[in-house]
Amino acid sequence: QVQLVESGGGLVQAGGSLRLSCATSGRTFSTYAMGWFRQAPGKEREFVAAISWSGSGTVYADSVKGRFTISRDNAKDTVYLQMSSLKPEDTAVYYCAANPHRASPEAAEYTYWGQGTQVTVSS
């Protein structure tokens, strides 16, 4: 079992930055690829970014490329999402998730999920 707890969400103006963190506990964090997803009101959950277990491989949704950066610190069992140049359309609940196989944009491949953290970007 892997427990995931997101933090770092909040209210920010358009153009601003936030860094989300996802702390994990339970089974060995470094054996899991990790991903960030988001869900806006009235919309389906969508992929944001993913990182391999070693941190050497990353995948991003086109909508966040060049603005968001995913990283991980296996010594701290934590994955991060640095968000810059935020837009109102980035407003959503952001979830981190753990994938035992690969850094994937497919939500169905992720085994464990956090409860989410709200990010609100005002215009």
Side-chain angles (χ1 to χ4, degrees):
Q1 190 77 7
V2 176
Q3 291 79 41
L4 310 175
V5 180
E6 303 94 337
S7 62
L11 174 64
V12 63
Q13 288 188 332
S17 299
L18 279 175
R19 187 177 81 156
L20 305 183
S21 299
C22 174
T24 72
S25 61
R27 292 186 177 180
T28 306
F29 171 73
S30 61
T31 66
Y32 286 82
M34 299 295 295
W36 286 96
F37 292 77
R38 66 187 182 187
Q39 187 167 20
K43 295 188 177 181
E44 293 188 354
R45 184 156 44 187
E46 65 173 358
F47 170 73
V48 175
I51 188 166
S52 63
W53 66 269
S54 67
S56 62
T58 57
V59 183
Y60 293 94
D62 288 344
S63 59
V64 306
K65 273 182 187 175
R67 300 189 299 122
F68 291 11
T69 301
I70 188 171
S71 62
R72 66 189 296 159
D73 185 338
N74 286 347
K76 296 183 178 179
D77 292 346
T78 302
V79 63
Y80 305 97
L81 185 68
Q82 178 67 48
M83 306 185 295
S84 302
S85 302
L86 282 161
K87 305 175 181 179
E89 51 263 44
D90 294 317
T91 295
V93 177
Y94 283 71
Y95 300 89
C96 69
N99 186 325
H101 302 298
R102 64 183 183 130
S104 166
E106 301 297 330
E109 295 185 22
Y110 288 77
T111 305
Y112 303 105
W113 292 82
Q115 293 300 306
T117 185
Q118 176 71 48
V119 172
T120 302
V121 184
S122 63
S123 56

